């Protein structure tokens, strides 16, 4: 049985890596990345040029929160996600984890920053003492909404079905919104307290690496070597 499963995996990997052209999903991802880069580079230039990671690391309790929220979200994800026998491929894993970890963070930071600007503008008009707190609140809210929309309407729609529907998994999945909110809160605080986008990028790369290890979606298959 083990030999049969191994042979089936090899055949599947060969068939997948035969697909050299960009798939429709690849094209959608590349378009998403292009839009995020075109908007994000000029809008986030000051954050991208600043290396504020040491400021984040200097706050140990905040670092603990970032690590705990990341671990909580990943443990829940591992418990409910599956790959249905899709092979692990190094090329797609590296490209997607780094590419999406960096560039989708641009999209998240754009949404947060525009929301913060709107909140600060409203506060300046009506509640001057709340300029920064209201900016953070609206930026965080915008981030939460955007994260839910992009995952619900894009990633869950176009990635292969990968969430288990067993009764136990459904109970665990009820906790995932709480875990995602904690993750977004930590990332938003990175932006608000330290203007630190690079720590968020690093954690996001790890999140996407977890996706590629656990779900193994068929993205960028042309990056994988053909089996001789």
């Amino acid at each position: 049985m083990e030999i049969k499963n191994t042979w089936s995996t090899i055949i599947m990997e060969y068939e997948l890596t035969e697909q050299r052209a960009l798939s429709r999903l690849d094209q959608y991802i590349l378009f998403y990345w292009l839009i995020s880069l075109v908007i994000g580079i000029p809008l986030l230039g000051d954050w991208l040029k600043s290396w504020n990671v040491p400021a984040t690391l200097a706050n140990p309790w905040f670092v603990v929160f970032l690590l705990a929220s990341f671990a909580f979200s990943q443990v829940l994800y591992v418990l409910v996600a599956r790959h249905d026998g899709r092979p692990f491929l190094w090329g797609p894993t590296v490209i997607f984890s780094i590419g999406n970890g960096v560039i989708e963070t641009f999209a998240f930071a754009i949404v947060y920053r525009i929301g913060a600007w709107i909140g600060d503008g409203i506060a300046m008009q009506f509640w001057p003492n709340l300029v920064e707190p209201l900016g953070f609140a609206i930026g965080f809210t915008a981030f939460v909404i955007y994260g839910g929309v992009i995952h619900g309407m894009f990633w869950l729609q176009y990635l292969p079905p990968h969430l288990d529907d067993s009764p136990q998994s459904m109970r665990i999945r009820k906790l995932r919104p709480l875990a995602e909110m904690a993750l977004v809160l930590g990332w938003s605080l990175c932006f608000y307290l330290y203007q630190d986008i690079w720590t968020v990028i690093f954690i996001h790369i790890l999140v996407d690496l977890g996706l590629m290890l656990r779900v193994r979606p068929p993205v960028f298959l042309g990056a994988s070597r053909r089996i001789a």
Side-chain angles (χ1 to χ4, degrees):
M1 179 63 69
E2 183 177 350
I3 295 175
K4 182 178 179 181
N5 290 339
T6 301
W7 181 245
S8 298
T9 299
I10 292 174
I11 292 174
M12 182 183 298
E13 183 169 353
Y14 178 82
E15 291 174 347
L16 287 174
T17 54
E18 278 284 283
Q19 303 174 29
R20 290 312 201 183
L22 288 174
S23 68
R24 186 176 297 252
L25 176 57
D26 295 342
Q27 294 173 22
Y28 288 158
I29 291 172
L30 289 174
F31 182 71
Y32 178 38
W33 289 359
L34 177 62
I35 296 298
S36 299
L37 284 171
V38 169
I39 299 175
I41 289 176
L43 200 65
L44 304 169
D46 54 336
W47 287 3
L48 293 170
K49 293 176 183 177
S50 301
W51 182 254
N52 293 329
V53 175
T56 300
L57 298 180
N59 186 337
W61 288 110
F62 182 51
V63 172
V64 168
F65 177 76
L66 289 174
L67 294 176
S69 60
F70 166 72
F72 183 40
S73 68
Q74 291 306 289
V75 168
L76 294 183
Y77 192 67
V78 166
L79 291 174
V80 302
R82 63 183 192 272
H83 55 71
D84 293 329
R86 288 182 293 273
F88 171 76
L89 302 171
W90 273 109
T93 297
V94 171
I95 291 173
F96 183 82
S97 299
I98 296 177
N100 199 66
V102 173
I103 301 173
E104 190 177 43
T105 302
F106 287 11
F108 292 160
I110 290 165
V111 171
Y112 168 84
R113 197 166 201 187
I114 291 175
W117 284 340
I118 292 173
D120 287 342
I122 293 173
M124 288 178 66
Q125 292 295 321
F126 302 102
W127 307 286
N129 293 333
L130 297 179
V131 168
E132 291 189 357
L134 186 60
F136 170 76
I138 295 182
F140 168 69
T141 302
F143 190 169
V144 170
I145 293 172
Y146 177 79
V149 169
I150 196 65
H151 284 85
M153 297 185 66
F154 180 62
W155 295 116
L156 288 178
Q157 294 297 319
Y158 291 102
L159 293 180
H162 59 277
L163 296 177
D164 187 40
D165 292 328
S166 69
Q168 180 180 358
S169 292
M170 293 301 292
R171 289 193 293 270
I172 295 172
R173 286 168 62 177
K174 292 179 180 179
L175 296 174
R176 291 196 65 227
L178 177 62
E180 297 303 316
M181 287 281 286
L183 201 63
V184 171
L185 176 60
W187 294 5
S188 296
L189 285 170
C190 266
F191 298 148
Y192 172 62
L193 295 173
Y194 306 114
Q195 296 76 56
D196 176 14
I197 193 172
W198 292 106
T199 294
V200 178
I201 284 174
F202 176 72
I203 299 175
H204 196 176
I205 289 174
L206 295 180
V207 169
D208 285 332
L209 179 60
L211 167 72
M212 294 302 293
L213 291 173
R214 187 62 181 169
V215 177
R216 306 174 188 177
V219 296
F220 303 118
L221 298 177
S224 298
R225 293 181 301 176
R226 292 175 57 180
I227 299 176

